């Protein structure tokens, strides 16, 4: 059976690797020109039952433990006046450390790539569309005019999937907020104050309709994220010159002018471009009629905003489960049902969290929530 996987992100590569572990070859068509072609983004926490389970199925548990940072789970959460709302410190010993350890996204991708034959990933091969040939077979068209035929096609090509139209008309919609990412380089040596605020893991602060967070990565950087409730065309209408990072930083600081100066020092410590992106999501609970010979996984199937922090975990679980079904000649319908059931509550949580964290009086609501969870309030 010839399997083509569109997209070599974490989902597509996990699928290819678990197939390989069961003696099945797959061709991964990846749009990026190579593994280093694009900045891959920050650190990810992998859960025991999703990301870590998938890596066990891929035979990569030991490799994962070597790159994972349990202490990265440390977190502090403040309100925008500087009041501490919550702090979590990871134990130095014991299995509890391995609940949701952090690992850098490029290191995870490398772990998977190193465990695949070089020839299985076709870099610089963007899928433009796919067409059914009957009997579950498909022809996959690639940029540059080439095409490939396959017996099974996996759409693991993320938010703007070119395979999704074969199964559903659904498209991602704007969630009412934008995210921004900036990077602090050489944090410990060059920016010790910012580094101390972030500690071994993550720092977050919540204001009305806006958040500021920062997360330590394993490569000496700290990634600073801003999220803001705003109109979809905000990057164009805000007057912030995103193509001039130094001036953009000054303008962004003005948006946070009433926040503690030590929090804003995080923005001062950043350098390089300001990445701004709309938060989009597919409809919660999206399902489609099973079509033989093709399916979707990960963001292509259930894109959600990062407010539940589960997208990478879900895509890896999807990739590994689908590979097991394909390798064992199982029913892809069952894989799809399980994926739909898993994704729906996560997508709901992501939408609810976005509403909560970017609402009026968000910090007070979050403080009540933690007090309720710890039994201090009804
Ligand atoms: C700021 C931010 C923070 C996040 N934090 C977390 C977190 O802490 N924890 C978590 O679990 N999740 C997190 N997520 C979500 C997570 O990043 C995604 O859910 C996950 O990366 C999805 O993986 P994927 O493989 O399905 O898709 P992608 O990562 O989008 O990979 C798709 C791949 O397909 C390729 N591709 C795209 N189009 C084509 C094409 N036409 N032809 C060929 N190749 C193509 C792309 O180049 C890419 O390599 C975060 C997301 C964001 C934006």
């Amino acid at each position: 059976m010839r399997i083509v996987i569109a997209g070599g992100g974490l989902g597509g590569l996990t699928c290819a690797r678990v197939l390989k572990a069961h003696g099945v070859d797959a061709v991964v068509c990846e749009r990026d020109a190579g593994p280093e072609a694009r900045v891959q983004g920050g650190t990810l926490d992998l859960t025991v039952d999703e990301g870590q389970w998938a890596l066990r199925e891929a035979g990569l548990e030991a490799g994962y433990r070597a790159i994972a940072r349990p202490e990265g789970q440390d977190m502090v959460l403040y309100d925008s006046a500087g009041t501490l709302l919550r702090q979590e410190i990871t134990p130095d010993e014991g299995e509890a450390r391995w609940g949701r350890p952090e690992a850098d996204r490029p290191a995870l991708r490398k772990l998977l790539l190193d465990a695949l034959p070089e020839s299985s990933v076709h870099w610089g091969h963007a899928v433009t569309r796919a067409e059914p040939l009957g009997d579950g077979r498909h022809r996959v068209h690639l940029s540059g005019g080439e095409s490939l035929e396959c017996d099974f096609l996996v759409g693991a090509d993320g938010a703007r999937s070119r395979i999704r139209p074969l199964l559903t008309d659904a498209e991602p919609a704007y969630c009412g907020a934008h995210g921004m990412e900036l990077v602090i380089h050489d944090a410990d040596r060059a920016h010790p104050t910012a580094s101390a605020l972030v500690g071994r893991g993550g720092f977050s602060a919540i204001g009305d309709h806006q958040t500021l967070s920062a997360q330590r990565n394993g490569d000496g950087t700290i990634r600073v994220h801003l999220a803001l409730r705003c109109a979809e065309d905000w990057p164009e209408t805000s007057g912030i010159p995103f193509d001039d990072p130094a001036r953009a930083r000054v303008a962004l600081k003005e948006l946070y002018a009433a926040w503690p100066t030590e929090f804003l020092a995080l923005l001062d410590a950043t350098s390089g471009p300001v990445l701004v992106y709309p938060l989009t999501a597919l409809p919660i609970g999206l399902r489609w009629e099973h079509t033989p010979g093709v399916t979707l996984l990960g963001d292509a199937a259930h894109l959600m905003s990062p407010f539940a922090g589960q997208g990478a975990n879900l895509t890896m679980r999807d990739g590994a489960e689908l590979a097991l079904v394909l390798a064992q000649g199982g029913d892809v319908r069952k894989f799809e049902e399980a994926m739909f059931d898993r994704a729906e509550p996560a997508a709901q949580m992501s939408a609810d969290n976005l509403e909560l964290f970017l609402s009026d009086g968000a910090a007070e609501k979050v403080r009540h929530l933690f007090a309720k969870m710890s039994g201090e309030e009804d």
Side-chain angles (χ1 to χ4, degrees):
M1 176 156 92
R2 184 169 208 210
I3 300 173
V4 168
I5 302 173
L10 291 176
L13 292 179
T14 302
C15 187
R17 169 58 205 166
V18 175
L19 281 167
K20 186 74 199 161
H22 287 79
V24 180
D25 289 322
V27 171
V28 179
C29 294
E30 167 54 49
R31 182 182 57 188
D32 287 349
E36 316 288 337
R38 188 167 49 88
V39 177
Q40 289 295 312
T43 173
L44 294 167
D45 53 330
L46 296 192
T47 53
V48 173
D49 291 336
E50 281 95 14
Q52 293 187 48
W53 176 86
L55 289 173
R56 261 199 308 283
E57 292 300 322
L60 297 173
E61 191 176 21
Y64 169 65
R65 289 215 169 191
I67 58 167
R69 289 172 289 108
E71 70 282 2
Q73 293 165 100
D74 284 8
M75 63 82 104
V76 283
L77 177 68
Y78 293 90
D79 67 16
S80 58
T83 309
L84 183 68
L85 299 176
R86 190 172 178 85
Q87 177 162 32
E88 289 175 12
I89 311 265
T90 317
D92 285 330
E93 306 282 335
E95 203 48 32
R97 283 162 61 67
W98 294 98
R100 276 187 96 130
E102 295 282 341
D104 287 6
R105 200 185 279 257
L108 272 174
R109 201 185 196 200
K110 182 169 174 351
L111 179 69
L112 288 160
L113 281 171
D114 287 352
L116 283 168
E118 238 174 75
S119 59
S120 58
V121 182
H122 294 198
W123 297 103
H125 282 60
V127 173
T128 53
R129 67 187 174 91
E131 62 179 313
L133 298 173
D135 292 336
R137 305 193 77 245
H138 286 84
R139 180 174 293 122
V140 182
H141 294 270
L142 302 168
S143 55
E146 257 180 276
S147 69
L148 289 174
E149 287 184 17
C150 61
D151 303 299
F152 198 91
L153 174 60
V154 181
D157 49 345
R160 288 191 217 116
S161 172
R162 299 299 182 110
I163 308 303
R164 194 189 298 126
L166 289 173
L167 296 167
T168 168
D169 292 335
E171 286 186 13
Y174 183 57
C175 297
H178 270 70
M180 281 154 273
E181 184 179 272
L182 303 95
V183 181
I184 302 176
H185 295 276
D186 195 10
D188 285 348
R189 207 184 50 80
H191 305 283
T193 313
S195 180
L197 185 63
V198 175
R200 304 187 302 176
F203 157 97
S204 298
I206 321 171
D208 288 345
H209 312 293
Q210 62 195 95
T211 62
L212 166 65
S213 54
Q215 186 90 36
R216 181 174 294 281
N217 283 236
D219 62 357
T221 64
I222 288 174
R223 279 169 195 267
V224 177
H225 291 107
L226 312 179
L228 204 66
R229 193 167 265 299
C230 55
E232 193 166 3
D233 60 357
W234 176 78
E236 293 79 47
T237 58
S238 63
I240 298 177
F242 285 103
D243 53 353
D244 180 347
R247 285 177 54 222
R249 243 179 286 280
V250 173
L252 287 174
K253 268 181 73 180
E254 278 166 21
L255 292 178
Y256 289 77
W259 292 42
T261 43
E262 60 268 39
F263 294 0
L264 298 189
L266 286 169
L267 283 172
D268 289 330
T270 62
S271 55
V274 180
L275 181 67
V276 55
Y277 49 89
L279 300 185
T280 58
L282 283 164
I284 296 168
L286 175 67
R287 285 159 195 256
W288 56 83
E289 286 272 327
H290 174 71
T291 300
V294 57
T295 195
L296 305 173
L297 60 79
D299 280 6
H302 44 67
L303 176 71
M304 55 192 80
S305 86
F307 271 79
Q310 295 195 52
N313 281 289
L314 291 172
T315 200
M316 292 176 76
R317 173 100 205 182
D318 295 349
E321 273 196 14
L322 176 61
L324 292 174
V325 167
L326 292 175
Q328 292 158 5
D331 186 353
V332 172
R333 240 175 289 242
K334 290 213 171 104
F335 156 76
E336 288 173 336
E337 282 305 320
M339 175 174 69
F340 296 149
D341 289 350
R342 198 165 45 236
E344 184 167 352
Q348 188 62 58
M349 184 200 281
S350 166
D352 293 348
N353 283 356
L354 187 146
E355 278 310 309
L356 173 66
F357 282 93
L358 296 179
S359 63
D360 254 344
E364 195 48 23
K365 290 179 197 162
V366 170
R367 195 189 64 73
H368 279 303
L369 204 67
F370 284 132
K372 253 176 150 171
M373 279 161 55
S374 62
E376 289 163 26
E377 282 180 17
D378 290 335

